[in-house]
Amino acid sequence: MRIAGFVDSCPELLNWLESSGREFPWRYTQDPWTVYATEILLQRTRASAVESIFDEFFTRFPSAAAVEDQSEEELRNVIRSLGFVNHRTRSLQEAASLCLETSRGKPPCSLEKLKHPWRVGDYSARATLMFAFDDVQPLVDANFARILARVFGYDMPVQPHKSENVYELVSSLVPDEPGLARAFNLSMLDLGAIVCSPESPACHQCPINAACQFYQSS
């Protein structure tokens, strides 16, 4: 794998994020509850759908305590448009209880504890640590896996988010400085959503195509 070539392309990738990356309201906060709850809302749905309810959700549920204070029906009504209402409601309620029981209303700074609520997995927990606590983390989702498979010609496992080898690869690429790590992760998320799509990727627009085996061989 040509890791050095990919690393050399990182400045172009970060510049691309600055000029072409997506803007969402949760990217402008490091409030731990907001970040944690948003990661749960983002599970198995489009970011634009979460954006459409973001203000209403955090007006009604600005803290973990607010989730427990309000009725379950109010919570369900706010998140209904996202789908998977039963699982999302349970995850949010258990996340709120976790915050109130262990960290005075804030999410714990522990990868394993963050995964205690139902259906909160490794990605959501790592993203919370990265974006709320500046704890440098490798993030692995479908976008990351697709980009790395194409760039390096890497034979991805069926479930890359459960592969230690994939996490080791991503860890070797993420910058050590928290601000750069945050920008790197966001740029990879956006690149996968905007340019390196599952079908018909826009390779000619990609800021890292010089390091990409898929592009070079096409």
Side-chain angles (χ1 to χ4, degrees), residues 16-39:
W16 175 86
L17 176 70
E18 185 72 20
S19 64
S20 305
R22 298 174 297 175
E23 292 192 9
F24 296 114
W26 53 87
R27 293 187 176 183
Y28 295 94
T29 180
Q30 285 188 282
D31 173 70
W33 166 250
T34 303
V35 173
Y36 193 30
T38 298
E39 290 302 328

Side-chain angles (χ1 to χ4, degrees), residues 33-49:
W33 166 250
T34 303
V35 173
Y36 193 30
T38 298
E39 290 302 328
I40 294 172
L41 295 174
L42 285 166
Q43 292 174 351
R44 301 177 70 180
T45 194
R46 293 173 292 105
S48 58

Side-chain angles (χ1 to χ4, degrees), residues 115-170:
K115 293 193 288 184
H116 281 184
W118 191 66
R119 299 295 293 265
V120 176
D122 209 64
Y123 179 87
S124 297
R126 288 179 182 274
T128 299
L129 290 175
M130 176 73 258
F131 298 128
F133 298 110
D134 282 337
D135 184 347
V136 174
Q137 292 286 330
L139 303 182
V140 177
D141 74 345
N143 285 329
F144 271 78
R146 183 170 59 256
I147 293 169
L148 297 180
R150 286 172 173 170
V151 168
F152 297 122
Y154 188 88
D155 187 13
M156 280 289 165
V158 175
Q159 295 183 305
H161 62 289
K162 295 184 178 180
S163 168
E164 290 186 10
N165 289 336
V166 174
Y167 272 106
E168 288 178 6
L169 171 59
V170 179

